[in-house]
Amino acid sequence: MRIDVITLFPEMVQAVIEYGVVGRASDKGLLQLTLWNPRDYTKDKHRSVDDRPYGGGPGMLMKVVPLQACIAAVRLQSPDARLVYLSPQGSVLKQKQINQAANWKNLILLCGRYEGIDERILQQEVDEEWSIGDYVISGGELAAMVCIDAITRQIPGALGHQDSAELDSFSAGLLDCPHYTRPESINGLKVPDVLLNGNHRLIEEWRDKQALGKTWKNRPDLLEKMELNEKQRKLLKEFIAESE
């Protein structure tokens, strides 16, 4: 997969490909990350990339001309790519969108700065607008890094074991179940017996129950959107009874 990122701070985004899952995917040739700086497409001696908004008010906007030129240059190399603008005004990113994006061959991420970009760029160039949450950060670079990491995890071969992605939180609409490793006891807290008995059917059932229960406790809004089957309803009812 190829991901192009348009950013005023390419060195910042570069860091995501130097570590962990994303770095290994890049080394394997599963991911190609290319960074583009609109500042390289400026014409004035100061290489300015911001301008005042019409109508006044605080803050600046990214300059239209260098941004348009930069987008055009990216599209020459990735003509079929979808362009996603990262901003607080976008639709809040969900695992479903990440899974869909992982199936695209090419993706362009546009990182906003200052007060954002001209509305006409949104209308003419942008295919989708994503937000990573209902809060404001200084620019789209951190959001781009989050998207790159999340998408890379879904690329076949990027993880050591593909089941890791399939069992992640949100992959099935639920939060992940609790996990334990050695030692068996820490400060009097022991690993649940079911995980030690080697009965894989019971272990899987316990994990399903815990995932349902954790979602019920921490993110009940997710359960409201799901249609649980009979077994899941039974497990959730058992979890609630045990909790009480």
Side-chain angles (χ1 to χ4, degrees):
M1 181 177 188
R2 172 177 175 140
I3 300 180
D4 294 272
V5 182
I6 299 172
T7 168
L8 296 177
F9 298 95
E11 300 85 359
M12 185 175 177
V13 181
Q14 177 66 30
V16 75
I17 207 167
E18 296 176 356
Y19 306 94
V21 170
V22 181
R24 291 193 296 274
S26 175
D27 292 341
K28 292 179 180 179
L30 301 173
L31 174 68
Q32 177 186 347
L33 179 65
T34 306
L35 305 175
W36 304 76
N37 192 339
R39 199 178 297 278
D40 296 333
Y41 297 85
T42 56
K43 302 296 184 181
D44 64 301
K45 65 178 181 179
H46 299 295
R47 303 180 73 204
S48 57
V49 290
D50 60 335
D51 207 344
R52 293 186 300 274
Y54 282 117
M60 305 285 275
L61 292 178
M62 294 180 73
K63 268 192 168 183
V64 169
V65 173
L67 184 54
Q68 279 185 322
C70 185
I71 292 172
V74 178
R75 288 205 181 277
L76 284 176
Q77 293 197 20
S78 295
D80 300 323
R82 295 187 67 78
L83 192 154
V84 173
Y85 176 50
L86 300 162
S87 83
Q89 287 79 39
S91 61
V92 178
L93 192 59
K94 305 292 186 183
Q95 188 65 43
K96 181 180 179 180
Q97 291 163 276
I98 291 294
N99 295 345
Q100 291 173 343
N103 290 317
W104 300 341
K105 291 183 178 180
N106 303 292
L107 168 64
I108 303 170
L109 297 175
L110 171 56
C111 303
R113 275 279 159 176
Y114 314 117
E115 293 301 310
I117 64 176
D118 191 291
E119 185 68 20
R120 291 163 295 184
I121 297 287
L122 281 173
Q123 294 173 355
Q124 296 176 1
E125 301 284 1
V126 172
D127 297 303
E128 298 188 34
E129 196 170 353
W130 291 355
S131 167
I132 60 170
D134 293 334
Y135 49 88
V136 178
I137 53 179
S138 298
E141 285 76 18
L142 290 174
M145 295 167 75
V146 167
C147 293
I148 292 167
D149 186 279
I151 291 169
T152 301
R153 293 181 61 83
Q154 302 305 314
I155 298 175
L159 297 179
H161 201 300
Q162 191 56 32
D163 287 351
S164 297
E166 295 172 1
L167 296 176
D168 279 343
S169 288
F170 307 111
S171 59
L174 299 170
L175 301 185
D176 199 3
C177 65
H179 296 282
Y180 298 85
T181 188
R182 295 174 178 80
E184 289 185 18
S185 179
I186 300 176
N187 298 328
L189 295 176
K190 298 186 66 178
V191 175
D193 291 337
V194 66
L195 299 179
L196 305 174
N197 65 19
N199 188 319
H200 295 293
R201 184 186 64 78
L202 292 179
I203 290 172
E204 182 179 354
E205 188 175 273
W206 179 88
R207 286 175 171 164
D208 289 344
K209 181 193 292 188
Q210 297 304 310
L212 286 160
K214 183 174 283 191
T215 306
W216 170 73
K217 289 172 62 178
N218 298 341
R219 290 291 305 275
D221 58 300
L222 296 177
L223 283 180
E224 292 172 3
K225 302 172 185 176
M226 293 184 63
E227 185 173 341
L228 302 182
N229 59 39
E230 184 177 347
K231 181 179 179 182
Q232 288 175 319
R233 291 194 297 270
K234 177 176 177 291
L235 291 174
L236 179 57
K237 184 176 180 180
E238 288 176 2
F239 180 94
I240 294 172
E242 291 166 3
S243 300
E244 294 173 346

